[in-house]
Amino acid sequence: MFTANTMASISEAIGISLPGSASPPAEDEKRGKIVSDTGKACVKLLELNIKPKDILTFEAFENAITMLNAVGGSTNGILHLLALANEAGIKLTYDDFERIRKKTPHIADMKPGGNYVMNSLDKIGGIPFVMKKLLNNNLLHADAITVTGKTIKENLDEISIQEPEEQKIVKSVEAPLHDVGTAVILKGSLAPEGGVIKTAGVEMTQFTGKAKVFDKEEHAFDSVAKGEIEEGNVVVIRYEGPKGGPGMREMLATTAALVGQGLGKKVAMVTDGRFSGGTRGFMVGHVAPEAFVGGPIALVKNGDEISISTEDNSITLHVSDSELEQRKKEWKRPEPNYKSGALAKYASLVGSAANGAITKPADY
């Protein structure tokens, strides 16, 4: 699922947007009513003295992670939920994402990994339709409070949805697209703190290849455009992380170029940057520690062998510890892309993608 649709879906599941608000198209006549009802809900929340932190509980975040996996959502959802949890004072880690992913079936057949768009889902009941299937199988916290002032269960009980007999968009929990969720956390010698990959629409579960290393996305794109990337390569794009970018740009242009050349299923990509929800293929993002702080991704050289496996959640750089130690001694941090202004300040304060790429005071 694309990032914007993912976050809209998550917003319903976590309880901070009105039921049914995620799926209607921008120009749908229902949008006017949603805007009006949202204003009324804000007034009611003030009257009931329900604050954001009353809604954003640990259980609410678990509901959001369940939705992320059930709809085959973007890996950006992981980053955003980690950051939001920090603001809400909720301790959320990659371990929570993996724990919930492993018990959540992927049931919504949504593009780009699947066959349908949000407008199609809206016509059969939208995100509440998905939530009802999850709730009926005890996969959501029913008592989590929402912006309506009511619980998840109370909201869904008020919505009548007649499932079309021939609908193929949302599968049953008993016969899902995948038995487990698709927002996978990887860890290993290349990403000790972690990396993320979306497996919706991806057939392979393992890949081993030779690294082709680029210190900037534009350099990687140019190489793809020139036909220099070959089957079996692992394209490594680094210094695009929270500090290095700064800000974790989406590597959409390069991934789209690879797919356009028919290499989408023949190569892999690893980056400390991000991907768009529209990205397809064996693409690992959010690699941490990032290159700019001297993480292992900074030490990769052309020709190094890299293995990625969603079967055992691993991402491995096949280089000896002694060799990596020597490379670390020789490594020098590059000059930052910005030495003044807002982006320079941001880069000096931002932390690891594994913690949501949040900023903290310098003396924190």
Side-chain angles (χ1 to χ4, degrees):
M1 181 181 279
F2 298 102
T3 300
N5 294 337
T6 298
M7 296 314 299
S9 304
I10 284 174
S11 294
E12 281 196 43
I14 206 170
I16 59 173
S17 66
L18 293 179
S21 62
S23 58
E27 297 185 0
D28 193 293
E29 61 182 17
K30 288 185 286 188
R31 280 289 165 201
K33 185 175 188 306
I34 290 170
V35 171
S36 176
D37 289 347
T38 297
K40 294 175 183 177
C42 289
V43 173
K44 185 176 181 180
L45 288 170
L46 290 171
E47 292 173 349
L48 296 174
N49 195 31
I50 296 176
K51 298 176 285 295
K53 284 189 177 181
D54 296 323
I55 297 171
L56 296 173
T57 62
F58 184 77
E59 289 74 20
F61 279 96
E62 288 195 320
N63 285 345
I65 298 170
T66 298
M67 178 59 67
L68 172 68
N69 284 284
V71 298
S74 166
T75 52
N76 283 319
I78 298 173
L79 191 73
H80 298 327
L81 285 173
L82 286 168
L84 181 60
N86 177 76
E87 291 299 313
I90 300 296
K91 185 178 180 181
L92 196 67
T93 70
Y94 275 164
D95 289 341
D96 296 310
F97 282 87
E98 269 302 293
R99 173 176 53 81
I100 295 169
R101 181 188 72 83
K102 289 177 179 178
K103 66 177 184 179
T104 304
H106 174 207
I107 59 175
D109 189 13
M110 307 300 293
K111 284 183 177 292
N115 297 298
Y116 300 95
V117 296
M118 283 294 270
N119 188 32
S120 302
L121 178 60
D122 186 63
K123 292 177 180 178
I124 63 169
I127 293 303
F129 180 45
V130 179
M131 292 181 68
K132 277 178 175 281
K133 286 182 176 286
L134 295 171
L135 183 64
N136 290 340
N137 286 273
N138 299 313
L139 292 170
L140 292 176
H141 294 284
D143 295 331
I145 198 71
T146 74
V147 288
T148 65
K150 301 176 182 179
T151 65
I152 290 285
K153 185 178 187 305
E154 289 171 335
N155 286 341
L156 294 177
D157 283 346
E158 292 178 358
I159 300 174
S160 177
I161 298 175
Q162 185 66 40
E163 181 173 355
E165 290 185 10
E166 300 300 321
Q167 76 85 17
K168 299 179 181 179
I169 303 170
V170 182
K171 310 299 182 182
S172 69
V173 170
E174 294 76 20
L177 293 163
H178 299 97
D179 291 334
V180 294
T182 59
V184 181
I185 307 297
L186 305 176
K187 289 188 178 182
S189 58
L190 186 53
E193 292 178 4
V196 301
I197 184 172
K198 182 176 75 173
T199 59
V202 178
E203 297 173 2
M204 68 181 83
T205 60
Q206 297 188 68
F207 190 97
T208 296
K210 301 294 184 179
K212 290 274 286 189
V213 184
F214 304 93
D215 290 347
K216 198 173 186 179
E217 188 204 7
E218 287 83 355
H219 297 165
F221 180 83
D222 290 343
S223 184
V224 175
K226 293 175 183 177
E228 297 173 349
I229 304 303
E230 302 174 349
E231 180 176 348
N233 284 159
V234 178
V235 179
V236 177
I237 305 178
R238 61 192 180 192
Y239 298 109
E240 294 286 7
K243 286 183 177 292
M248 298 182 74
R249 290 191 296 170
E250 293 183 337
M251 306 292 107
L252 181 58
T254 304
T255 58
L258 288 170
V259 172
Q261 290 191 5
L263 292 171
K265 297 179 180 180
K266 300 176 181 178
V267 301
M269 183 184 290
V270 175
T271 180
D272 51 11
R274 295 185 298 139
F275 295 117
S276 161
T279 297
R280 292 175 290 169
F282 222 52
M283 312 293 180
V284 181
H286 309 193
V287 168
E290 63 175 292
F292 196 77
V293 300
I297 191 172
L299 310 178
V300 181
K301 292 184 177 182
N302 285 325
D304 285 348
E305 190 173 77
I306 295 172
S307 292
I308 304 162
S309 173
T310 57
E311 294 181 6
D312 62 5
N313 297 68
S314 66
I315 178 166
T316 306
L317 175 61
H318 295 285
V319 175
S320 68
D321 291 342
S322 59
E323 173 63 18
L324 286 178
E325 186 177 345
Q326 181 60 37
R327 292 184 189 182
K328 181 74 172 180
K329 292 177 181 178
E330 298 170 355
W331 175 79
K332 293 182 180 179
R333 176 179 292 166
E335 289 293 311
N337 290 325
Y338 298 90
K339 295 184 179 180
S340 64
L343 288 176
K345 293 175 183 176
Y346 168 83
S348 71
L349 299 175
V350 72
S352 172
N355 296 319
I358 56 173
T359 57
K360 293 184 178 181
D363 60 350
Y364 190 83

